């Protein structure tokens, strides 16, 4: 991450939000019929995905809204919200997305069949030295098989998704899916962040938790806020001020070829983590991460 996080989320600030709510409509989609049904992520096949019907959403905020969000999240610096400016319309086609982040057990299946992506085989040019370092502990792949895989670089996430017949989500797809058909601050709506909704700094866990432990959003998706940040396909760039259809910053989904191995620019991450403050869990909040930056708070899920 490259943006300082200051302060916690006061409950009273959310009451203010109920009165001064920002408009962020999500149009053209209703929740899947199974959205209310909880799913056991750990029993899912790697091929399991959730269909998300396409539609239109308003991403970002206006500069004039920054003082309001400073009050909501008790953040003193307006600069923290500059990357969410400007507000703009985005239209998306139908897509599929994993209901849960990729787990240690799932990623192990990938590395078992692809030695070049095992810790001993990965090129030093692609990683900062932290790649899968938590797997060195003897019980990680048994005791934490159902935890999201972390300490993975962006290159490995692209390779995994392609191996599974998928790709990384775009930033717009991720936010659309995270909203779950709502216009709220968080995937569950406007209720304040607490330990019943997600694994964040206030939960006191200080590490990852099993995927699917917390309730799904309206589209049946788990861990769209908290637990681990999630790598996306997009290059880190300012938002466009004009309407876009199926945008991906950098213009490449890296569906084939080796061009992804040449990427050096920072990539978008979304969702916050077990160490994140409430503002990081806000569905609009965006951050960036170096592509070789394997860290214990960054994971991923796939789309197609």
């Amino acid at each position: 991450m490259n943006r300082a996080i200051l302060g916690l989320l006061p409950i009273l600030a959310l009451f203010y939000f109920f009165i001064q709510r920002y408009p962020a409509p999500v149009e053209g989609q209703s929740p899947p019929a199974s959205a209310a049904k909880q799913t056991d992520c750990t029993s899912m096949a790697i091929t399991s995905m959730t269909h998300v019907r396409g539609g239109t959403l308003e991403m970002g905020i206006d500069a004039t809204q920054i003082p309001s969000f400073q009050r909501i999240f008790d953040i003193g610096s307006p600069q923290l919200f500059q990357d969410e400016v400007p507000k703009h319309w985005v239209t998306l086609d139908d897509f599929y997305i994993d209901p849960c982040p990729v787990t240690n057990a799932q990623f192990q299946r990938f590395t078992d069949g692809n030695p070049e992506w095992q810790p001993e085989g990965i090129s030093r040019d692609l990683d900062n030295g932290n790649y899968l370092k938590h797997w060195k502990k003897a019980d990680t792949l048994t005791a934490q098989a159902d935890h999201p895989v972390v300490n993975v670089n962006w290159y490995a996430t692209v390779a995994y998704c392609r191996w599974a017949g998928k790709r990384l989500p775009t930033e717009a797809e991720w936010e659309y899916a995270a909203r779950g058909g709502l216009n709220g601050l968080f995937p569950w709506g406007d209720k304040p962040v607490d330990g019943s909704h997600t694994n964040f700094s206030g939960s006191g866990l200080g590490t990852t938790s099993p995927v699917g432990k917390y309730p799904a959003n309206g589209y049946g998706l788990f861990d769209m806020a908290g637990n681990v940040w999630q790598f996306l396909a997009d290059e880190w760039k300012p938002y466009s001020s004009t309407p876009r259809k199926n945008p991906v910053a950098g213009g490449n989904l890296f569906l084939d070829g080796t061009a992804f191995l040449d990427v050096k620019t920072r990539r978008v991450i979304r969702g916050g983590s077990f160490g994140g403050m409430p503002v990081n869990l806000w569905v609009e909040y965006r951050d960036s991460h170096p592509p070789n930056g394997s860290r214990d708070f960054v994971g991923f899920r796939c789309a197609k």
Side-chain angles (χ1 to χ4, degrees), residues 16-284:
Y16 174 86
F17 177 78
F18 298 150
I19 301 172
Q20 301 291 333
R21 185 168 182 171
Y22 70 100
V26 178
E27 300 178 351
Q29 182 172 354
S30 56
S34 60
K37 182 179 179 182
Q38 291 294 96
T39 303
D40 181 2
C41 289
T42 60
S43 66
M44 285 184 176
I46 287 175
T47 54
S48 296
M49 302 192 82
T50 297
H51 176 232
V52 180
R53 301 182 187 95
T56 300
L57 77 157
E58 196 171 28
M59 294 179 67
I61 63 174
D62 290 328
T64 56
Q65 294 177 281
I66 289 178
S68 174
F69 286 106
Q70 286 183 259
R71 290 189 291 270
I72 290 168
F73 292 110
D74 193 25
I75 301 294
S77 172
Q79 191 63 35
L80 184 71
F81 299 97
Q82 289 295 331
D83 290 320
E84 285 71 45
V85 176
K87 185 182 292 185
H88 60 290
W89 287 98
V90 170
T91 301
L92 296 170
D93 292 334
D94 287 17
F95 61 97
Y96 290 83
I97 192 166
D98 289 350
C100 309
V102 174
T103 65
N104 282 309
Q106 292 171 331
F107 201 78
Q108 184 184 25
R109 289 180 57 187
F110 163 66
T111 58
D112 284 349
N114 297 273
E116 68 274 24
W117 293 103
Q118 293 175 3
E120 301 78 15
I122 194 165
S123 168
R124 293 183 180 179
D125 295 334
L126 303 180
D127 197 70
N128 60 1
N130 291 331
Y131 185 66
L132 297 176
K133 68 178 184 180
H134 62 299
W135 282 15
K136 294 178 181 179
K137 296 180 180 179
D139 64 342
T140 296
L141 292 175
T142 52
Q144 296 185 6
D146 58 350
H147 285 229
V149 67
V150 293
N151 289 315
V152 287
N153 54 63
W154 180 83
Y155 309 105
T157 69
V158 173
Y160 173 95
C161 290
R162 284 166 52 162
W163 168 79
K166 308 176 186 180
R167 58 171 173 78
L168 285 176
T170 67
E171 183 174 20
E173 288 172 340
W174 191 96
E175 181 174 324
Y176 189 69
R179 289 181 176 278
L182 302 177
N183 297 329
L185 284 168
F186 309 107
W188 56 84
D190 293 325
K191 292 183 179 179
V193 180
D194 62 31
S196 69
H197 289 113
T198 185
N199 178 7
F200 76 116
S201 60
S203 303
L205 298 179
T207 187
T208 58
S209 52
V211 299
K213 177 180 178 180
Y214 298 91
N217 73 358
Y219 293 156
L221 306 176
F222 298 84
D223 296 314
M224 295 302 283
N227 210 1
V228 291
W229 289 92
Q230 296 169 38
F231 268 125
L232 301 177
D234 298 63
E235 182 179 354
W236 177 249
K237 287 187 174 182
Y239 275 153
S240 169
S241 60
T242 59
R244 305 287 303 280
K245 182 174 182 180
N246 299 320
V248 54
N252 197 335
L253 290 172
F254 302 100
L255 301 179
D256 51 37
T258 60
F260 76 103
L261 297 175
D262 297 323
V263 166
K264 302 300 180 184
T265 54
R266 297 178 73 92
R267 316 314 288 180
V268 176
I269 57 173
R270 286 292 204 111
S273 75
F274 61 82
M277 297 297 186
V279 69
N280 304 129
L281 279 56
W282 176 36
V283 291
E284 296 276 9

Side-chain angles (χ1 to χ4, degrees), residues 1-5 83 236 266 269 285-290:
M1 289 183 297
N2 70 327
R3 298 167 66 188
I5 309 306
D83 290 320
W236 177 249
R266 297 178 73 92
I269 57 173
Y285 189 86
R286 55 200 305 256
D287 210 331
S288 70
H289 203 67

